[in-house]
Amino acid sequence: MIHRSPGKAASTVFLHLAGCFDRRSGNELRRELRQAFDRARGARIVVDVAGVDLIGSECIEVLLVGYTRALRGGHGYEVVNAEGHVQQALEATGLCPRPFVPAVEAELAALG
């Protein structure tokens, strides 16, 4: 499921994703991203993946194509709120960078 909403500032369009995004979801995601870019007209696109349980390579590719389109078109583009294995998959592509953890906190966490 994909829900599109304008941001508080007119310069942002949010896409809220929820559920499983596998091969069958690729076309819907591609269509929604295209519409978001068409409506944004230079605005920032934010893809919120907080509700995503599973993301397949086809949908990751669509998100990467969105990133490329944003760069070429002068849009801002972010994929936010990933967790668990979705976070790991998106980190590998660079779409969703690993959160910054200061070295001291990381060492304390490792000690348990």
Side-chain angles (χ1 to χ4, degrees):
M1 179 178 89
I2 302 173
H3 171 72
R4 184 177 47 242
S5 66
K8 292 180 183 176
S11 61
T12 303
V13 175
F14 285 93
L15 288 180
H16 303 277
L17 281 56
C20 293
F21 281 81
D22 56 12
R23 181 180 313 156
R24 294 172 293 176
S25 308
N27 287 333
E28 179 186 9
L29 180 57
R30 185 175 290 108
R31 182 176 49 253
E32 289 293 333
L33 263 176
R34 187 177 304 123
Q35 289 175 0
F37 278 110
D38 290 345
R39 292 173 189 218
R41 301 193 192 276
R44 183 172 72 125
I45 307 294
V46 177
V47 182
D48 183 354
V49 295
V52 175
D53 302 319
L54 171 80
I55 190 160
S57 59
E58 296 85 1
C59 290
I60 291 173
E61 179 185 5
V62 171
L63 292 174
L64 285 167
V65 168
Y67 175 74
T68 302
R69 181 173 179 183
L71 285 177
R72 289 181 181 162
H75 295 272
Y77 186 81
E78 285 183 90
V79 178
V80 299
N81 297 327
E83 295 182 0
H85 65 275
V86 173
Q87 172 76 25
Q88 291 174 339
L90 295 176
E91 280 177 7
T93 66
L95 281 172
C96 204
R98 180 181 301 263
F100 174 73
V101 178
V104 174
E105 288 182 28
E107 288 178 24
L108 290 174
L111 293 174

